[in-house]
Amino acid sequence: MSELETLAAELDAADELAWLRTRFVLDDAVYLDGNSLGALPVSVPGRVADVVYREWGELRIRSWEESGWWTAPERIGDRIAPLVGAAAGQIVVGDSTSVNVFKALVGAVRLADEAGDSRRDEILVDATTFPTDGYIAESAARMTGRTLRPVTPAEVPDALSSRTAAVLLNHVDYRTGRLHDLPGLTEAVHRAGAYAVWDLCHSAGALPVGLDEHGVDLAVGCTYKYLNGGPGSPAYLYVRHDLQPRFDSPLPGWNSHARPFGMHPAYEPVAGAGRGRVGTPDILSMLALEAALDVWHGGRDRSGGGEGEGVTIESVRAKSLALTDFFLRCVSAYVPEGRVESLTPATHAERGSQVALRCDAAADVMKRLIHQGVIGDFRHPDVLRFGFTPLYVSFADVERAGRVLGETLGETLGVLG
C-alpha cells in the first residue's frame, strides 16, 4: 500500500460523515460528477413508489390535501432553507433553474422600477456564467427595456453605477470551480442601490451560502447536483422576507393567486414566497426531492433504515475542502509533470467543491477515465471536471481517481511520444 493509500484510509477512518455513504446507491466506480447529477439516495425509490401506487393510485385527487401535495413547494423550500442560510418562509420549490432565473431577474428590475429612477437602465450579468443564465438575462433585458452589460465578477464593483438596476451572478463558476465573494459583491451592489440575484447551482449543498446573513435579495438554484434530488428535479426561488410584498413575478399563474380556486379573471398574488409559484407542481419529482433531503435532516430512511444525526453545512464544507486538497495532492504525486494545469483556486476562500484541470486531449482522457471507473466530466475545449460531494465521496475514492488519472496520462504520453 502506497503512502497516499495509507493516508486515505486514515482520513476515511476519522471522517465524521463517512456513515452517510450508506445512504446512497453506489457501485464500485468512483463517482466525481455530483456537480452535474447527484447520486441516488436509498430512501427515494420507496418514497416514489408510495407516491405512485398509494397517493396517486389509491387516494388520487384527495392527495392534494390528504398527502400534502398542495403545500409541497413551500414545505420543501423550508427544508432547503437551512442549507443556504435562510429562515423559513423565503424559498419556494418548482419549475426549472432557467425559469426561476427569469422570475428573479425581471422581479429585481421591477423592484428597481419602484424607486422611479429612470436612470437605472442597465443589468449587469456575469460574463463567465453558465450560458443559459446569459440567454435569460438577454431576454429579460429586452423585455424590460434595459441594456445588458456582461462583466466578470471581479469587475462588478467598478462597473456598478446609478444606472444599475440588477446584477445576476454565479456563486461558483461551473467551469473552473472558483468561489466568488457573495458577501462583498452583494454589499457593493446594495451600495449602488441595485438588487443582487445569485445563482447557487454549484454551491447549495456543498458550502455555506448565508443568504439572510449577507442580505441577498433574490437567489435561485437547482436541486439535482449536491442536493441529490434526481434528474430534472425542480429548482427553487429565494425572495428575501422584506421584499416579498413587492415582488412582482413576470410569470403570474393560478398557483400563486391569493384565491387559486376562485378562478378570478384578475390576478391577485398570494402573500409570501408563494408568489414565486406558477402552475401545477411536478409532484413526482418534487416528492422524490423531499425524500432525498432526508439525508440532511437526521439521515432518515423512509424504507426503515433508522435515524442518524443531522448534517451541518459547515461539516460538509470542511470535508469538501479536505477532499479537494487531497485530490490536488494526489494529482501532484501521480500525474506526470506538465500534463495538467489546475484552473481551480488553491486558496480555500476561492474554491467551491470541484477541481477543474486543463489537459490536452481532455475529451479522450475523460472517456478513458470513465472506462476505468473514474467518472468525472469534460467541458469544451480542454477541461476535466471533478466534483466532490462530501456526503458520499471517500478519501479512498479520491486517491484512486488521482492514481488512475496519472496512469492514464502516463499511457497517453507514451502513445503521443
Side-chain angles (χ1 to χ4, degrees):
M1 183 177 288
S2 71
E3 177 186 351
L4 288 174
E5 286 178 288
T6 300
L7 179 55
E10 293 173 353
L11 291 170
D12 281 330
D15 177 16
E16 65 179 26
L17 300 182
W19 66 275
L20 288 164
R21 189 176 171 89
T22 64
R23 299 296 187 185
F24 292 88
V25 177
L26 299 169
D27 52 26
D28 292 335
V30 174
Y31 189 64
L32 301 181
D33 207 8
N35 53 330
S36 289
L37 176 64
L40 171 66
V42 297
S43 61
V44 171
R47 176 61 178 136
V48 171
D50 183 60
V51 173
V52 171
Y53 289 110
R54 183 181 62 85
E55 295 185 4
W56 178 15
E58 297 176 13
L59 296 178
R60 293 180 285 273
I61 196 71
R62 291 158 51 196
S63 278
W64 284 105
E65 292 188 6
E66 294 182 24
S67 300
W69 288 1
W70 184 260
T71 59
E74 290 85 359
R75 181 179 72 245
I76 301 171
D78 284 347
R79 301 194 81 194
I80 293 172
L83 304 180
V84 292
Q90 299 175 100
I91 293 179
V92 64
V93 174
D95 305 312
S96 68
T97 305
S98 301
V99 171
N100 282 312
V101 168
F102 181 73
K103 295 178 204 171
L105 190 54
V106 174
V109 172
R110 289 178 174 180
L111 287 168
D113 279 342
E114 288 189 352
D117 189 346
S118 60
R119 293 177 300 171
R120 295 199 177 274
D121 59 356
E122 188 173 75
I123 296 172
L124 301 185
V125 64
D126 183 349
T128 63
T129 190
F130 188 77
T132 293
D133 284 19
Y135 306 155
I136 295 292
E138 182 180 9
S139 179
R142 283 190 282 111
M143 188 177 119
T144 59
R146 260 61 179 189
T147 299
L148 185 67
R149 184 180 175 191
V151 295
T152 67
E155 294 170 334
V156 166
D158 291 334
L160 290 163
S161 71
S162 59
R163 293 184 56 191
T164 310
V167 183
L168 172 61
L169 294 166
N170 279 258
H171 196 193
V172 173
D173 186 287
Y174 80 98
R175 188 180 289 106
T176 66
R178 176 178 291 276
L179 172 64
H180 296 304
D181 181 10
L182 181 146
L185 290 171
T186 300
E187 182 180 2
V189 170
H190 288 168
R191 282 199 305 269
Y195 290 87
V197 180
W198 284 91
D199 183 328
L200 309 178
C201 285
H202 285 268
S203 58
L207 54 91
V209 177
L211 292 178
D212 287 353
E213 177 185 358
H214 303 303
V216 169
D217 302 305
L218 301 110
V220 302
C222 67
T223 60
Y224 47 79
K225 299 182 189 295
Y226 296 110
L227 297 181
N228 309 297
S233 58
Y236 57 89
L237 170 68
Y238 165 90
V239 183
R240 202 177 67 217
H241 265 308
D242 61 301
L243 297 179
Q244 290 173 7
R246 297 186 289 129
F247 176 67
D248 182 9
S249 173
L251 295 173
W254 77 279
N255 250 238
S256 61
H257 198 285
R259 293 182 294 279
F261 294 98
M263 304 302 168
H264 298 285
Y267 179 71
E268 178 187 348
V270 69
R275 289 183 175 213
R277 294 175 67 153
V278 184
T280 304
D282 186 341
I283 291 299
L284 297 183
S285 61
M286 190 168 292
L287 297 186
L289 166 63
E290 185 173 33
L293 292 171
D294 284 349
V295 172
W296 295 88
H297 300 275
R300 291 188 297 277
D301 183 345
R302 293 173 187 265
S303 64
E307 183 104 10
E309 296 180 357
V311 182
T312 67
I313 196 65
E314 289 75 19
S315 64
V316 167
R317 175 58 168 168
K319 183 177 177 183
S320 165
L321 292 172
L323 289 168
T324 50
D325 278 344
F326 188 53
F327 181 67
L328 290 169
R329 179 174 174 178
C330 290
V331 168
S332 178
Y334 289 133
V335 173
E337 186 175 355
R339 293 308 313 276
V340 298
E341 172 195 357
S342 178
L343 302 179
T344 303
T347 57
H348 287 179
E350 296 180 296
R351 186 193 306 165
S353 199
Q354 74 177 52
V355 173
L357 302 176
R358 177 171 285 143
C359 172
D360 290 339
D364 181 61
V365 169
M366 183 53 68
K367 288 179 183 178
R368 293 179 181 221
L369 290 176
I370 293 172
H371 181 71
Q372 297 173 85
V374 175
I375 302 171
D377 67 16
F378 158 75
R379 285 293 176 266
H380 184 80
D382 57 2
V383 177
L384 303 172
R385 286 198 323 171
F386 302 92
F388 297 83
T389 304
L391 300 181
Y392 54 78
V393 172
S394 70
F395 290 92
D397 287 337
V398 171
E399 187 278 333
R400 179 182 163 194
R403 178 163 36 87
V404 173
L405 175 62
E407 293 167 354
T408 301
L409 289 174
E411 293 169 0
T412 305
L413 181 62
V415 171
L416 293 176

